[in-house]
Amino acid sequence: MLGRTAAAVGRRVQWAAGVRAYSAGEGELNYHLSPQQEQLRDMAREFARREVAPKAGEYDVSGAFPHDEVKAAWELGLMNVSVPEAYGGLGLGCTDACLIKEELAWACTGFSTAVEANTLAQTPLILGGSEELKRKYLGRCIEAPISCSYGVTEPGAGSDVAGIKTTAVKEGDKWVLNGSKMWITSAGVADWFFVLAKTDPQANAGKAFTGFIVEKDTPGFTLGKKEINMGQKCSDTRGLTFENVVVPDENRVGEVGRGFILAMGAFDYTRPAVAAGAVGLAQRALDESLQYAQERKTFGVPIAQHQAVAHLIADMAINVEGARLLTMRSAWEIDQGRRNTYYASIAKAFAADIANKAASDAVQVFGGNGYNSEYPVEKLMRDAKIFQIYEGTAQIQRLIISRELFGR
């Protein structure tokens, strides 16, 4: 593994400054990456294909969390990239995070999800946390290769976030949390959790919830079993239970009643990266199909020469290029300081859909081999489905898009 030397840190700081300057620009849309962004992308690509891709199949079978690879990603500066410089991070933009996410996802979307989970947990803290909270918990992520988790979804409240039942009751200078969460990414390895709880049962959703930072060893806080999911198996997913969990008021994120706004606001920053992950998977499906179609022969010629197969692959390319552009548009909008909810939902919905189609079509190109675990595309097909579910289902994205359109 590559060591985190002082020279390496210095180089990262240098190119990070270049990346930020280029991403900010003067508000002009630019289809070219800066030299620093190309370096960032190439570094992520080299790491993903050298360190992650060769072990993806092993982790898919074992379901083990990729601790060594996550540590290596942290050493290279490929984790926590959105943490502001003031708290020790690189302070990169959403566009830059998407460049990294696509390359990591090409190798294994379970791994890229494990890395990106930190950003989802950190973003509400960045948006609304006190200076003390930011320095303590964001700084902790920079100082060591730890994971953190976003604890919002519940057994009866997934897309319907307003239906959250977990409560937080104020007692003096502390809060007492009771309830449960479900499908929490990186829960089994997280050092701390952003947790959304109801603090005012009478208020509407916009004022009923408050966010808190809960540490993993807090008394009364327990983890459920690791869930065995269809795909992305090395991403650790579990339930959480809170039984009279006492949290100091200093661990409250933002003002009382603003938790829902912070939790939902985080998605404007993270949905472009989720879309980038879907693009990475779709690009992998395309790359595998291209290679296989030129090697596999039927009727005396490579199957690439059969129009039916060639058109499947052409459609993959069309969709990958379109999804990548939508993803970058959504990331670019928020890097310009503009609200990107509309574009983030479009990118997330489209990229998730085309990732599933690309993976399915890749299996079709491979034929019987594609249905077998000895070949890479069956894993892609299993891994792809979750993109239409987590961080807002495909249907929720369309609901958001339609509301944005009719609200103009």
Side-chain angles (χ1 to χ4, degrees):
M1 298 294 179
L2 298 175
R4 195 180 195 195
T5 65
V9 172
R11 286 194 298 272
R12 284 202 302 277
V13 170
Q14 277 188 321
W15 60 247
V19 166
R20 287 193 301 274
Y22 192 83
S23 294
E26 297 180 356
E28 296 180 1
L29 184 61
N30 193 323
Y31 288 98
H32 300 286
L33 300 180
S34 72
Q36 291 89 350
Q37 286 174 320
E38 289 180 347
Q39 182 182 358
L40 176 65
R41 180 202 60 198
D42 293 347
M43 181 175 67
R45 179 176 297 175
E46 179 186 0
F47 167 77
R49 300 190 185 196
R50 184 186 67 246
E51 302 286 352
V52 181
K55 296 184 179 178
E58 173 187 331
Y59 284 124
D60 185 54
V61 173
S62 69
F65 188 81
H67 289 284
D68 290 343
E69 290 74 25
V70 167
K71 181 180 179 182
W74 172 81
E75 288 175 340
L76 278 176
L78 298 175
M79 283 184 71
N80 311 308
V81 297
S82 299
V83 173
E85 289 181 282
Y87 312 108
L90 295 175
L92 298 185
C94 190
T95 302
D96 315 314
C98 287
L99 293 174
I100 295 171
K101 181 66 180 287
E102 180 181 336
E103 297 302 331
L104 299 184
W106 186 97
C108 176
T109 55
F111 174 81
S112 67
T113 295
V115 169
E116 184 63 24
N118 273 26
T119 301
L120 181 57
Q122 293 162 352
T123 302
L125 184 54
I126 293 170
L127 293 176
S130 67
E131 287 299 307
E132 293 76 13
L133 270 187
K134 291 176 184 178
R135 293 189 187 283
K136 181 177 182 179
Y137 290 103
L138 297 178
R140 193 181 291 183
C141 293
I142 300 301
E143 292 164 2
I146 66 168
S147 296
C148 47
S149 264
Y150 177 88
V152 173
T153 301
E154 296 189 0
S159 296
D160 180 19
V161 177
I164 284 175
K165 305 283 187 199
T166 297
T167 60
V169 178
K170 185 79 178 293
E171 294 187 2
D173 61 351
K174 297 178 174 60
W175 295 82
V176 180
L177 275 64
N178 283 281
S180 62
K181 301 291 182 181
M182 193 61 189
W183 311 119
I184 306 305
T185 303
S186 291
V189 295
D191 180 78
W192 57 266
F193 298 75
F194 169 80
V195 177
L196 192 65
K198 183 170 286 188
T199 49
D200 185 349
Q202 306 306 318
N204 60 36
K207 297 181 180 179
F209 302 98
T210 304
F212 300 90
I213 300 296
V214 179
E215 301 215 17
K216 65 176 181 178
D217 295 325
T218 306
F221 175 47
T222 56
L223 301 175
K225 66 178 178 64
K226 174 180 164 61
E227 299 294 336
I228 308 302
N229 295 323
M230 176 193 294
Q232 299 199 8
K233 291 180 178 290
C234 70
S235 173
D236 189 287
T237 307
R238 299 173 189 251
L240 314 175
T241 301
F242 304 87
E243 294 181 302
N244 295 321
V245 173
V246 178
V247 177
D249 187 58
E250 64 193 40
N251 274 29
R252 173 172 43 83
V253 181
E255 299 174 5
V256 174
R258 284 187 55 82
F260 182 85
I261 294 171
L262 293 175
M264 296 301 99
F267 289 141
D268 284 351
Y269 292 84
T270 60
R271 278 177 179 153
V274 173
V279 172
L281 185 148
Q283 182 68 58
R284 177 69 179 275
L286 173 58
D287 291 345
E288 296 289 352
S289 297
L290 275 170
Q291 180 178 342
Y292 186 82
Q294 295 173 82
E295 294 172 352
R296 173 80 165 108
K297 291 184 178 181
T298 62
F299 305 103
V301 297
I303 62 173
Q305 294 184 24
H306 300 311
Q307 190 178 67
V309 173
H311 283 188
L312 278 177
I313 295 173
D315 283 340
M316 282 188 217
I318 292 168
N319 286 331
V320 167
E321 294 293 345
R324 184 177 290 118
L325 286 173
L326 286 171
T327 297
M328 289 303 171
R329 173 66 188 271
S330 69
W332 178 80
E333 283 290 334
I334 204 159
D335 283 344
Q336 302 307 310
R338 295 193 286 264
R339 182 172 174 269
N340 73 334
T341 304
Y342 173 73
Y343 294 105
S345 286
I346 288 177
K348 201 270 186 184
F350 185 73
D353 287 350
I354 71 101
N356 277 269
K357 185 175 186 334
S360 177
D361 286 349
V363 171
Q364 196 68 26
V365 170
F366 275 65
N369 289 336
Y371 196 66
N372 187 279
S373 61
E374 292 296 315
Y375 292 82
V377 292
E378 69 87 25
K379 177 181 182 296
L380 297 180
M381 191 170 179
R382 288 186 287 107
D383 288 349
K385 185 58 191 175
I386 192 63
F387 283 106
Q388 292 177 316
I389 300 173
Y390 63 8
E391 291 206 29
T393 65
Q395 290 70 37
I396 287 294
Q397 301 312 314
R398 286 162 171 80
L399 179 62
I400 293 169
I401 294 163
S402 62
R403 285 178 174 173
E404 290 287 318
L405 288 170
F406 289 118
R408 289 178 175 177

